[in-house]
Every structure is written in C-alpha cells, then in structure tokens.
Amino acid sequence: MRLWVGAIAVGLSLAGCEEKAPSLGEGANPFPPTGDVARLQGVDGLSVGHQLMAAGQFELALKAYLRAAGEQGTTVDVLSALGSANLRLGRLGQAEKQLRRAIKIDQTFVPAWNNLGVVLMETGRAGEASRVFKTAFALDSGKSDEIRENLRRALAKIENPAYSSEKDDRAFDLVRRGNGRYLILQAP
C-alpha cells in the first residue's frame, strides 16, 4: 500500500511539470517528413553547379555535380561538369579520368574535349593537348574563339617549350549549359 501511495504522490508532483505539445492546427501533419529529398529539391544539380562554378565556389559546385550524378547517373554532362570542377580544384588526375569517360560516352561533346585539353596542358603534355584542342575546334566548327586560343597556345608551346606570356597564362574552361549553350569560364 505504501508503494501505491508513493507512486500516486510522484505522479501528482510530476503532473504539474508536464509541458503541453504545441497545437498543430487544422490539417497539419503530426508525423516527421518521410525523407524523400528528391521531391523537396526541385533545382537541378547541374544548374546549381554551373552557377557555383561561375561564382568561383568550386568545392560546392563539385558537391552539386555529385548530387546530379546521383539523380541523373553519370551522363556526359555530369562527367564533364565533374571533370571541370576537379580541374578548377587542381585535382588533375581525377579531372582527366572523368573527362575521358565523358568523351567515351559522347565523342562529339565539345566541352569535354576542350577541358581535357586544358588538363593536358596543365600536366605538361602540350602535344596531346594540341590534338585534343584540334578535335574540339573541329567539332565546334571553329565557332569558339576560346577554343581557337587554347589551340594556338598549345601549338605555340610545342614550337617553343619556353613559350609563355603574361596574357597567355590564363586558362579557359568550357562548361555546357543545356540546349547547346556554352558558358566560357575564365580560370582565376
């Protein structure tokens, strides 16, 4: 009996400490979200990544591109974007692998060819870079001044390995932005 009375006394003393749950209101769901993140994220990871690349936020862009890879798979667009982000982060080995994979998927994808050429130039392989830039230039039908300039720099480097000028130390990146539009991003 004493135990029973003690339990009632403890219960009564705790009853005053009880907090009330906030009202959820009419039609509110009392259950937590289901975890279906794809439904909540309406923005394409590639688009976000392109905007982050333009803003110089290469690490965040890489994460957005990885999200796009999870959503869309490793398409030519995604692989090329991942390669571009890794190029900007100085991860040249990873960039080269991803860009070569992109080219295997679509041998006519100009941004991947151009960015692969940039990687090859950065790793001191001007001969191979010039061949890659020639391919990009041909596929682009010579429309891009930036690709033409990259090719010119690679050829000048082959002719004169000591070739370098302050103006020509800039590197260009070509990133595809849907529907055949290209955005040229100048390396910082």
Side-chain angles (χ1 to χ4, degrees):
M1 179 75 162
R2 268 191 172 160
L3 203 49
W4 182 255
V5 173
I8 292 175
V10 169
L12 288 176
S13 64
L14 289 177
C17 297
E18 183 179 318
E19 290 184 30
K20 289 189 175 185
S23 173
L24 295 175
E26 182 88 19
N29 185 354
F31 303 106
T34 62
D36 185 9
V37 178
R39 181 179 56 85
L40 301 175
Q41 296 175 343
V43 181
D44 175 42
L46 275 175
S47 299
V48 171
H50 293 331
Q51 291 172 358
L52 289 166
M53 287 286 284
Q57 298 294 320
F58 308 126
E59 192 68 46
L60 292 174
L62 181 63
K63 290 179 181 181
Y65 293 147
L66 288 170
R67 188 184 88 196
E71 294 169 350
Q72 301 173 19
T74 51
T75 65
V76 67
D77 285 315
V78 171
L79 285 169
S80 182
L82 285 168
S84 299
N86 278 314
L87 171 62
R88 291 297 183 94
L89 290 167
R91 300 171 184 159
L92 302 179
Q94 289 177 338
E96 183 177 352
K97 287 177 188 174
Q98 290 162 335
L99 292 167
R100 288 189 188 276
R101 281 182 60 200
I103 290 168
K104 273 188 178 180
I105 293 172
D106 183 355
Q107 294 178 358
T108 64
F109 194 70
V110 176
W113 282 105
N114 181 72
N115 291 349
L116 178 60
V118 173
V119 169
L120 295 170
M121 286 297 291
E122 290 291 322
T123 56
R125 296 180 278 173
E128 187 179 358
S130 71
R131 287 189 300 277
V132 168
F133 285 136
K134 283 178 185 177
T135 301
F137 187 73
L139 289 170
D140 189 50
S141 301
K143 294 177 192 172
S144 171
D145 293 335
E146 288 77 12
I147 295 174
R148 181 182 304 115
E149 184 63 22
N150 286 344
L151 176 58
R152 185 192 66 74
R153 289 178 194 158
L155 292 172
K157 189 74 169 176
I158 291 170
E159 290 175 16
N160 181 6
Y163 173 80
S164 179
S165 79
E166 195 171 299
K167 177 185 172 200
D168 289 340
D169 284 342
R170 298 174 298 151
F172 289 92
D173 237 354
L174 192 59
V175 178
R176 185 172 184 173
R177 282 229 167 155
N179 297 334
R181 285 184 43 225
Y182 298 96
L183 172 67
I184 304 297
L185 300 173
Q186 187 172 351

